[in-house]
Amino acid sequence: MTAQRVVALTAVVAALISACVSLESVETTRPAIGPKSDLWPWLEAPGVRVTAHARHARVASQLVGPGLIVPLPIIPIPVRNDEPGRHFWIDVGIDPEGEDFTLDVRRVRLHLPNRTALAPSVFVGPVMFDLYQNHCGPYREPERMPAVIAMTELVCVSLRFDAAPPPTDVKFSLTLDGLTNRGEPVAPLPIPFEQRRFRRLLWEP
Amino acid sequence: MPRPQERAASPETLATLATAPQIIVVHYHDVRPEGEYPGAFLKSVSGALVARIKARFLGGVRERLSPTGVRDVTTPRFPYREPGVAVDEPSVARLQRTYRTGYVFDFYVPWRYIPSDGNVTVQARLVRLDDLAVLWARQCTFLPDSARADRCADDLVVDFLTGASS
């Protein structure tokens, strides 16, 4: 091994030792639609496919330790138990074929246990759908009152419901009503959600 | 040797285009807001220039080729890339999903050309939707102002109609 390689390897090792590593257990939900093997599920319907992403993920537990190659000490970090907010945001991705689809946002409904179905109070979009994160991409669009929107390509709309986000183990669903193709109504598309847990490793130099 | 993003139009392409029933002309949104990454301001400026180049190019092609089936889509599209594909071109499959058949001219700023030297690069393509073949591709690089954008559009017209390298 040359001296240059030794120096480079030492630098890498030093960087790893000095880094801070966090192992998080995350609880969230995902649509219970389509094949389980799909990386992210989409509901296929004639001429269109849809998906949704509920914004209520929470970190269930967190461990923090120094470096990837120094295993100890590992410090459990208390998880914050914030009060749930007053608004529940759900991003809906709609991928139409052709140029003739519309969505009447006023007719979308959120079904939470033990309460009547909710319509969105405001929405943002249509904006670009993030195909890697599976939710609406970064946007600076203003919030709007629910209305009819036209779609000529894959878009994302972020819907706000005036209800506290439910815990991730509570079953809830969204009904995507109000879609039309060439003026013809599309049958309402139900999107139930199910809990999903995963772990992620975050590395901060 | 032409770069992958440069391809001359063949005489057959020009002949076919003159009578094609559907030729769509599109450009794309600037998707990243200003101020969140280097070059954001110039990227934002380039969005208006791309629309300008598209309009001028279309005018030039209409004047000299008189195609019958042209439709200019004034609302910009979102520049989706194919997931897992390491290219910075908008997906041609997404164009096919929207317009199904015919031909599409599209105009965009390739991500790799987010400018650091003040220049902006605009890429133009002609795509045949039936088989997603790129029949013509050319780009021009210029300091972003209206006069240079117009020259870019004029160069693209000449290149497209003659097959000459600009």
Side-chain angles (χ1 to χ4, degrees):
Chain A
M1 187 177 285
T2 65
Q4 281 179 327
R5 286 186 177 174
V6 170
V7 170
L9 186 62
T10 305
V12 169
V13 169
L16 290 176
I17 290 172
S18 61
C20 190
V21 177
S22 166
L23 177 64
E24 292 182 348
S25 174
V26 179
E27 289 178 358
T28 184
T29 54
R30 61 180 255 161
I33 50 178
K36 292 280 184 193
S37 57
D38 282 358
L39 212 53
W40 188 260
W42 288 77
L43 179 61
E44 299 281 349
V48 66
R49 59 183 198 132
V50 301
T51 191
H53 176 104
R55 292 181 176 267
H56 62 155
R58 64 180 283 269
V59 176
S61 65
Q62 188 177 26
L63 298 172
V64 174
L68 285 173
I69 60 172
V70 180
L72 293 172
I74 300 293
I75 307 164
I77 300 294
V79 175
R80 293 189 314 171
N81 282 315
D82 293 338
E83 287 294 314
R86 290 184 297 114
H87 302 308
F88 186 23
W89 286 88
I90 299 180
D91 294 353
V92 177
I94 305 169
D95 190 9
E97 291 176 8
E99 304 174 78
D100 303 308
F101 271 87
T102 63
L103 172 67
D104 186 346
V105 175
R106 294 168 294 195
R107 294 182 56 183
V108 180
R109 291 291 182 270
L110 171 65
H111 306 279
L112 293 168
N114 303 320
R115 60 182 300 173
T116 56
L118 287 170
S121 54
V122 296
F123 80 107
V124 176
V127 297
M128 194 169 179
F129 187 83
D130 187 328
L131 287 165
Y132 297 90
Q133 303 288 331
N134 299 303
H135 54 60
C136 291
Y139 50 75
R140 286 186 177 176
E141 303 287 323
E143 294 177 2
R144 296 200 276 156
M145 296 303 290
V148 177
I149 57 170
M151 298 167 289
T152 59
E153 61 174 328
L154 170 59
V155 297
C156 190
V157 288
S158 199
L159 310 175
R160 192 188 84 183
F161 297 93
D162 291 340
T168 57
D169 57 352
V170 168
K171 290 193 181 299
F172 65 96
S173 67
L174 193 73
T175 300
L176 198 59
D177 195 3
L179 269 176
T180 69
N181 184 13
R182 295 175 182 262
E184 293 295 317
V186 175
L189 301 173
I191 305 177
F193 287 80
E194 65 186 1
Q195 190 181 45
R196 173 186 174 225
R197 293 191 179 96
F198 63 92
R199 289 189 175 85
R200 65 187 175 197
L201 194 63
L202 304 174
W203 184 79
E204 292 285 340
Chain B
M1 186 77 171
R3 287 177 286 181
Q5 55 275 56
E6 298 201 339
R7 182 169 304 157
S10 69
E12 294 78 20
T13 295
L14 296 178
T16 304
L17 218 59
T19 57
Q22 173 161 277
I23 304 166
I24 307 292
V25 189
V26 302
H27 67 296
Y28 296 88
H29 278 287
D30 288 328
V31 291
R32 299 205 179 187
E34 289 182 25
E36 291 190 2
Y37 66 106
F41 172 71
L42 285 174
K43 176 74 176 164
S44 175
V45 169
S46 70
L49 292 179
V50 173
R52 183 184 182 100
I53 288 168
K54 182 189 81 161
R56 190 173 175 94
F57 174 87
L58 182 55
V61 169
R62 273 185 165 141
E63 188 178 301
R64 301 185 212 185
L65 198 62
S66 302
T68 54
V70 174
R71 179 155 61 98
D72 182 14
V73 179
T74 54
T75 305
R77 290 176 63 82
F78 294 122
Y80 291 108
R81 292 181 282 175
E82 290 299 334
V85 178
V87 294
D88 57 1
E89 301 160 352
S91 162
V92 291
R94 295 235 141 254
L95 293 170
Q96 186 189 49
R97 188 168 173 88
T98 300
Y99 303 112
R100 296 190 178 97
T101 188
Y103 298 83
V104 174
F105 282 107
D106 69 349
F107 295 79
Y108 60 95
V109 176
W111 284 107
R112 62 181 171 277
Y113 292 118
I114 289 174
S116 58
D117 59 358
N119 282 306
V120 60
T121 292
V122 173
Q123 176 79 48
R125 294 184 299 185
L126 172 64
V127 178
R128 183 171 57 211
L129 295 181
D130 291 347
D131 59 357
L132 302 183
V134 177
L135 303 177
W136 172 72
R138 196 64 75 196
Q139 57 183 220
C140 48
T141 301
F142 53 93
L143 283 167
D145 66 41
S146 300
R148 289 185 175 93
D150 289 349
R151 196 179 314 148
C152 165
D154 294 343
D155 289 346
L156 290 173
V157 171
V158 170
D159 182 281
F160 175 67
L161 295 174
T162 65
S165 295
S166 53

